[in-house]
C-alpha cells in the first residue's frame, strides 16, 4: 500500500517550494530599477482611511524626460495634492514633476482594482480593471499612449512625426481620433463610433506658440441618429478672432390666450 504520510509530506514540500518561488519572483519585481531601459523609483500613495482606503503602488522617472508631444494625457504624481493625475501642471516647471513610468497598481480597501504600465506618463502595455471579488471587469492594451490596435500614419519614414491616429477597437473604428500638423501640434480631434463621426469635432491652427482653434463642427450625438446634417458652429482666424458663428435658432414664444 502507498505511504499516505509520505505523499502528504511531498505535497506539502511542493507547496512550500511553490510559495517560495512566488515570493522570490515578487521580490524581483519589487526590486525593479528600470522599465524599457529607463531608470525608475518606486513610490507609494495612500488616500482615505478604514474601508475607504485607496492605495497606489507606482514608479516615477529617476531623471526627467519630456513626454511625447503627441500624447494628450500624461500621468504624474502630484506631491502637493497627494494624488496621481493627468491634469495640466500649474505653477511649477514641468521638469520638476514626477512622471509615472513603469508598473502601476491601485488597491481599494486592500483589494487590487487596477493595474497596468506607464511609459513616460502615457498608458502602455496591458491594463486590467477588477471588482471587489477580483473578477475581471475590463481590459485594454496600449502602446505609449495610444490604443495598441490604433492605425497610426506618419509624415516621415523613421516614424517620429505622427500624422494621424485612427482609433480601432475589436476591428472597428471607435474612440478618439487625432490628426497632427507636421510641426507636431494638434490639427483635429473628435470621436468615432463604429466608423461614424459623433459629437463635436475641433480643428486647430498650426501655431507654434499659442494654439488657436480653427473650426468647431457638430455631428450627430451617436451612430444611430439618422438624418442628422453636420454643421459648423464657429470658425476662428490664426490670431483667435472669431470669423463665423452659426446663428442661434429662433424660438417663437406664444402667449396663452386667456380669453
Amino acid at each position: 500500500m502507498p505511504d499516505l504520510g509520505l505523499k502528504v509530506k511531498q505535497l506539502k514540500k511542493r507547496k512550500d517550494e511553490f510559495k517560495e518561488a512566488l515570493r522570490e519572483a515578487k521580490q524581483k519585481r519589487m526590486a525593479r530599477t528600470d522599465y524599457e531601459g529607463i531608470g525608475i523609483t518606486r513610490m507609494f500613495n495612500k488616500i482615505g482611511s478604514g474601508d475607504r482606503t485607496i492605495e497606489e503602488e507606482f514608479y516615477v522617472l529617476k531623471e526627467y524626460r519630456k513626454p511625447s508631444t503627441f500624447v494628450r494625457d500624461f500621468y504624474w504624481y502630484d506631491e502637493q495634492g497627494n494624488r496621481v493625475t493627468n491634469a495640466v501642471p500649474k505653477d511649477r516647471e514641468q521638469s520638476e514633476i514626477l512622471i509615472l513610468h513603469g508598473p502601476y497598481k491601485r488597491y481599494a480597501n486592500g483589494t487590487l482594482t487596477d493595474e497596468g504600465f506607464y511609459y513616460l506618463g502615457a498608458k502602455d502595455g496591458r491594463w486590467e480593471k477588477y471588482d471587489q471579488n477580483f473578477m475581471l471587469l475590463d481590459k485594454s492594451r496600449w502602446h505609449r499612449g495610444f490604443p495598441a490596435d490604433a492605425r497610426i500614419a506618419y509624415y516621415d519614414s523613421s516614424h517620429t512625426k505622427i500624422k494621424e491616429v485612427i482609433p480601432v477597437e475589436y476591428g472597428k473604428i471607435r474612440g478618439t481620433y487625432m490628426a497632427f500638423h507636421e510641426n507636431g501640434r494638434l490639427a483635429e480631434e473628435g470621436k468615432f463610433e463604429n466608423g461614424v463621426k459623433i459629437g463635436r469635432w475641433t480643428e486647430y491652427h498650426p501655431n507654434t506658440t499659442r494654439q488657436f482653434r480653427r473650426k468647431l463642427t457638430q455631428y450627430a450625438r451617436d451612430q444611430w441618429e439618422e438624418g442628422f446634417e453636420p454643421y459648423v458652429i464657429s470658425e476662428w482666424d490664426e490670431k483667435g478672432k472669431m470669423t463665423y458663428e452659426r446663428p442661434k435658432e429662433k424660438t417663437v414664444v406664444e402667449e396663452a390666450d386667456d380669453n
Side-chain angles (χ1 to χ4, degrees):
M1 293 182 65
D3 189 340
L4 296 179
L6 179 61
K7 281 197 171 184
V8 170
K9 288 181 180 179
Q10 290 175 339
L11 288 173
K12 186 177 184 302
K13 183 180 179 181
R14 289 179 184 176
K15 186 176 181 180
D16 291 340
E17 290 175 347
F18 180 69
K19 285 184 177 180
E20 180 64 20
L22 285 178
R23 187 183 66 80
E24 291 179 357
K26 184 176 181 180
Q27 287 180 341
K28 288 181 180 179
R29 290 197 301 270
M30 294 305 184
R32 185 190 290 269
T33 58
D34 71 88
Y35 178 70
E36 296 290 335
I38 301 175
I40 53 179
T41 300
R42 188 183 180 196
M43 298 191 72
F44 294 93
N45 186 37
K46 183 177 180 180
I47 306 171
S49 60
D51 58 2
R52 293 186 177 182
T53 300
I54 300 296
E55 295 174 292
E56 293 173 298
E57 175 189 342
F58 54 94
Y59 292 78
V60 298
L61 292 172
K62 276 188 177 181
E63 296 181 1
Y64 176 79
R65 289 200 182 193
K66 186 178 180 180
S68 170
T69 56
F70 298 104
V71 176
R72 296 301 307 277
D73 295 324
F74 72 88
Y75 291 78
W76 55 286
Y77 177 57
D78 181 0
E79 294 179 285
Q80 296 178 1
N82 189 34
R83 59 174 183 158
V84 171
T85 179
N86 63 348
V88 177
K90 295 181 179 179
D91 303 324
R92 70 189 75 185
E93 293 293 330
Q94 192 175 54
S95 59
E96 296 176 352
I97 65 176
L98 300 174
I99 296 177
L100 269 64
H101 185 80
Y104 170 87
K105 290 186 178 182
R106 179 182 184 274
Y107 300 85
N109 196 26
T111 301
L112 180 65
T113 60
D114 300 82
E115 65 176 337
F117 297 83
Y118 286 102
Y119 182 88
L120 299 185
K123 284 189 174 183
D124 193 43
R126 183 184 178 94
W127 276 77
E128 295 181 340
K129 182 181 288 290
Y130 310 96
D131 65 12
Q132 290 299 314
N133 297 314
F134 200 58
M135 296 294 290
L136 184 65
L137 295 176
D138 186 38
K139 63 180 179 180
S140 58
R141 291 193 62 83
W142 297 78
H143 180 68
R144 301 185 180 183
F146 300 112
D149 293 331
R151 301 171 191 166
I152 303 178
Y154 298 86
Y155 283 104
D156 58 332
S157 58
S158 57
H159 291 184
T160 59
K161 295 182 179 181
I162 295 178
K163 185 175 183 179
E164 68 173 352
V165 179
I166 301 174
V168 177
E169 291 184 11
Y170 304 106
K172 296 184 178 181
I173 299 177
R174 184 177 183 182
T176 301
Y177 167 90
M178 289 184 289
F180 297 89
H181 294 289
E182 197 164 0
N183 64 2
R185 301 305 296 268
L186 186 64
E188 186 176 14
E189 182 178 34
K191 288 186 178 296
F192 274 107
E193 191 173 82
N194 292 331
V196 179
K197 288 184 176 182
I198 61 170
R200 291 188 175 184
W201 280 59
T202 307
E203 297 178 37
Y204 297 87
H205 288 288
N207 309 59
T208 56
T209 52
R210 182 180 177 185
Q211 191 172 28
F212 294 103
R213 290 179 294 179
R214 190 180 80 83
K215 182 188 294 185
L216 186 63
T217 305
Q218 179 68 53
Y219 291 87
R221 289 174 296 179
D222 55 50
Q223 62 174 318
W224 311 112
E225 191 172 355
E226 298 181 357
F228 185 90
E229 290 293 332
Y231 58 85
V232 175
I233 299 174
S234 304
E235 290 183 292
W236 298 264
D237 63 18
E238 293 183 352
K239 295 182 179 180
K241 182 180 179 181
M242 184 176 288
T243 58
Y244 170 79
E245 184 175 19
R246 184 174 186 268
K248 295 181 180 179
E249 295 181 2
K250 296 181 179 180
T251 57
V252 178
V253 180
E254 297 182 356
E255 295 183 359
D257 188 356
D258 295 331
N259 297 326

